[in-house]
Amino acid sequence: DQQVKQNSPSLSVQEGRISILNCDYTNSMFDYFLWYKKYPAEGPTFLISISSIKDKNEDGRFTVFLNKSAKHLSLHIVPSQPGDSAVYFCAAALGFGNEKLTFGTGTRLTIIP
Amino acid sequence: DGGITQSPKYLFRKEGQNVTLSCEQNLNHDAMYWYRQDPGQGLRLIYYSQIVNDFQKGDIAEGYSVSREKKESFPLTVTSAQKNPTAFYLCASSPGPRPAFFGQGTRLTVV
């Protein structure tokens, strides 16, 4: 039972445009969410997070939006750059201090020059 | 360079054998983690350790064992009790409560 779902395995976006990566979850007890980025032949690295007390968190070109009623979060990248081409994983936790993350299956983002 | 090193990158094991995957970090992080990734699934937590000489089971700990004798090292042993060990294994570390940096992974194949 996949509690965190990334329904789009891949996404292609023109350079300079907005990339929107989506993530849905089923467990309403999740209250802390994270995005990781993974380049080929490297391990994932932490990108950005959001607590359920917020509906938006911004860090430079990256913004994460959380819609608790829809159990949906999204990562916006504006403007998209070629270096953003990677696999993006969303993850959810039961609380800020909880060690156990539930990961989605990832979305491969390709930025077209 | 600071980082996490997993070795080997590829590992083959005969059925019934135990095998140990290495994970070393020089980031001075207290917390270390082991995840498993299977095709079409997200990363799943096997074990984690928040401090030396202490570790906790994750969601899929059965058939695995770990030790944390040194802050820098968190080896994972895949035992013969693990029924489906062929997978991609990722080690991670963090200064806080959730993994921040991952190694490059070890792909284990049972032959």
Side-chain angles (χ1 to χ4, degrees):
Chain A
D1 179 29
Q2 195 72 22
Q3 294 189 66
V4 176
K5 300 177 184 178
Q6 294 177 257
N7 291 318
S8 298
S10 62
L11 176 68
S12 294
V13 174
Q14 205 77 32
E15 181 179 358
R17 302 276 186 126
I18 181 171
S19 295
I20 300 177
L21 295 99
N22 294 305
C23 181
D24 296 294
Y25 60 95
T26 57
N27 189 342
S28 57
M29 299 301 290
F30 287 141
D31 62 1
Y32 196 78
F33 304 89
L34 307 92
W35 284 94
Y36 290 83
K37 177 179 181 177
K38 182 185 181 305
Y39 291 117
E42 293 183 16
T45 55
F46 170 73
L47 186 59
I48 192 170
S49 63
I50 188 168
S51 164
S52 63
I53 62 172
K54 293 184 173 183
D55 53 19
K56 176 183 174 181
N57 189 28
E58 194 171 351
D59 183 3
R61 295 185 297 112
F62 301 90
T63 303
V64 56
F65 294 92
L66 175 62
N67 182 334
K68 291 185 288 293
S69 61
K71 297 192 185 69
H72 176 83
L73 67 154
S74 60
L75 175 68
H76 292 211
I77 307 173
V78 184
S80 300
Q81 299 175 354
D84 297 328
S85 294
V87 176
Y88 291 80
F89 294 93
C90 66
L94 299 169
F96 174 77
N98 195 298
E99 299 275 359
K100 296 185 180 183
L101 293 180
T102 301
F103 280 83
T105 52
T107 296
R108 181 177 301 278
L109 175 65
T110 302
I111 305 302
I112 304 164
Chain B
D1 283 356
I4 302 176
T5 303
Q6 288 187 243
S7 61
K9 193 171 182 180
Y10 298 96
L11 189 57
F12 295 88
R13 188 196 91 175
K14 291 184 180 179
E15 279 193 39
Q17 287 182 339
N18 292 356
V19 64
T20 298
L21 283 61
S22 169
C23 178
E24 303 278 331
Q25 55 103 354
N26 60 5
L27 299 166
N28 200 33
H29 288 167
D30 286 317
M32 296 187 75
Y33 310 80
W34 273 106
Y35 284 87
R36 168 181 172 143
Q37 186 175 26
D38 294 282
Q41 295 195 38
L43 303 178
R44 293 183 291 166
L45 181 64
I46 304 172
Y47 268 98
Y48 64 98
S49 168
Q50 294 171 300
I51 198 167
V52 175
N53 291 323
D54 185 55
F55 47 84
Q56 308 294 328
K57 291 182 179 180
D59 298 318
I60 54 166
E62 185 176 350
Y64 299 97
S65 66
V66 293
S67 63
R68 188 86 187 275
E69 296 176 4
K70 299 185 298 181
K71 189 175 188 177
E72 310 81 49
S73 179
F74 191 41
L76 173 74
T77 297
V78 184
T79 75
S80 56
Q82 169 48 235
K83 296 177 182 176
N84 187 19
T86 295
F88 186 63
Y89 292 87
L90 280 166
C91 177
S93 73
S94 176
R98 271 166 305 280
F101 300 95
F102 285 78
Q104 293 185 329
T106 294
R107 187 167 298 280
L108 173 64
T109 303
V110 173
V111 296

